[in-house]
Amino acid sequence: MTDYQWKAFCNFKAEFKKKIEEWLKAAPELPALQKAAADAANTPSYPFETAVVYNTDLDRLTKEDDIHLIVIGDNPGKDEQLAKNKRYLVGQAGKIADGFFKRNPQLQTDFRKNVIILNKTPVHSAKTAQLKKMMKDGGKKICDLIEESQLWMAEQTARLHCELCRGAGAGGTPFPTPELWLVGYSELKDKGFFTPYKNKLFETYTSTDASVWDKVFVFQHFSMNRFTIDLNEHSDTVSLEAIHQLGKLHKKEIFAR
């Protein structure tokens, strides 16, 4: 990262950590709500260890690491919230994503060193749909917290992306300036659970640096290999051009822009 990028990244991390602590303190009832939602969905029992998850992989990135992508998932699942992890995309979906980049060296991207992994909300649930029950059972307080987390993540992620692009160096990879890949779009559709995130994201790019919006792409989830299956149906080869074409197609479907 350039000096400018490193400073922007460190500032983002510091603010993110503060917000995680704020949300944890504000809602000590979250673990009980998470367990109730999991039980109602007949989710196999697992330990509830981190109600709101900061991605500690951010602390493993160094100034010497070039950032090619910001990848946005939905929210931390069972593996991500374990105390031994507290990392995003470390379950099966993360392994698939890591494998995709390893199988495609032409993209020159290490999923754990060249990618900033974030979520639409850091609030844990075994399945994203369980957030809805948590909001129903938790009342206005939990509804407000989960919506606030979406809005904060959308705004600060867009601002970080704009800063990383503004501070980019010449770059000798296929990614001279970082891109943002919004992965998983079913709940971004109209009236979907992550509609607040979607709207805030676009609003922030528009007000901060509209030119960076061109570096935002939308894809299916890595989970169940949907990202790769979708790409293979779209193109016979895995190239950045084909990935961009697919990402623009889904972006137009979701954002109508």
Side-chain angles (χ1 to χ4, degrees):
M1 283 180 259
T2 65
D3 289 342
Y4 189 97
Q5 287 178 319
W6 179 245
K7 182 178 179 180
F9 175 63
C10 288
N11 288 342
F12 169 82
K13 284 197 305 176
E15 291 302 313
F16 188 21
K17 287 178 181 178
K18 284 172 57 177
K19 290 303 293 187
I20 293 292
E21 292 303 316
E22 178 183 315
W23 289 323
L24 282 169
K25 290 178 181 177
E29 65 269 43
L30 269 175
L33 291 168
Q34 289 162 335
K35 185 178 188 306
D39 290 344
N42 295 317
T43 303
S45 179
Y46 68 94
F48 292 83
E49 298 180 344
T50 316
V52 188
V53 186
Y54 170 80
N55 182 14
T56 58
D57 268 348
L58 299 178
D59 296 333
R60 293 180 172 89
L61 294 175
T62 71
K63 188 176 183 298
E64 285 65 46
D65 294 322
D66 291 327
I67 300 304
H68 301 174
L69 303 169
I70 301 175
V71 169
I72 310 297
D74 285 342
N75 72 308
K78 291 186 290 185
D79 293 320
E80 286 77 10
Q81 62 87 42
L82 292 175
K84 68 179 182 180
N85 290 328
K86 294 185 182 179
R87 301 164 59 210
Y88 293 175
L89 281 177
V90 294
Q92 190 59 32
K95 293 175 183 176
I96 290 172
D98 189 31
F100 171 79
F101 287 101
K102 285 179 178 175
R103 289 193 307 274
N104 294 284
Q106 70 273 22
L107 300 177
Q108 299 179 38
T109 296
D110 183 323
F111 190 63
R112 296 299 173 184
K113 291 181 69 66
N114 305 126
V115 180
I116 293 172
I117 305 171
L118 299 172
N119 277 321
K120 300 176 185 80
T121 173
V123 178
H124 160 67
S125 62
K127 299 292 184 182
T128 301
Q130 293 172 16
L131 290 171
K132 299 176 184 178
K133 179 169 174 55
M134 290 163 53
M135 293 172 74
K136 180 180 178 181
D137 294 348
K140 185 178 187 301
K141 175 183 175 181
I142 300 302
C143 285
D144 289 348
L145 185 148
I146 292 177
E147 181 169 346
E148 178 193 339
S149 73
Q150 286 193 46
L151 297 176
W152 192 93
M153 292 304 301
E155 179 175 6
Q156 297 306 316
T157 297
R159 291 186 182 280
L160 172 64
H161 186 204
C162 289
E163 289 292 280
L164 292 177
C165 288
R166 186 174 296 125
T173 74
F175 301 91
T177 53
E179 299 176 359
L180 184 139
W181 290 12
L182 197 55
V183 179
Y185 60 75
S186 61
E187 289 292 345
L188 289 170
K189 296 176 180 178
D190 289 345
K191 299 182 181 179
F193 185 79
F194 290 122
T195 297
Y197 182 98
K198 175 182 74 173
N199 293 339
K200 190 65 174 181
L201 191 76
F202 178 74
E203 173 190 315
T204 305
Y205 278 105
T206 301
S207 62
T208 304
D209 188 343
S211 67
V212 181
W213 180 245
D214 290 339
K215 298 188 181 299
V216 176
F217 302 90
V218 180
F219 303 97
Q220 291 204 39
H221 278 293
F222 285 111
S223 61
M224 299 178 68
N225 219 27
R226 282 176 287 182
F227 176 95
T228 304
I229 292 171
D230 192 29
L231 181 60
N232 289 342
E233 290 177 349
H234 177 76
S235 173
D236 293 334
T237 61
V238 177
S239 66
L240 195 55
E241 180 182 4
I243 291 170
H244 284 168
Q245 288 175 351
L246 182 62
K248 289 177 181 177
L249 177 66
H250 290 318
K251 180 179 173 182
K252 188 173 182 180
E253 294 170 356
I254 297 302
F255 290 91
R257 296 174 179 89

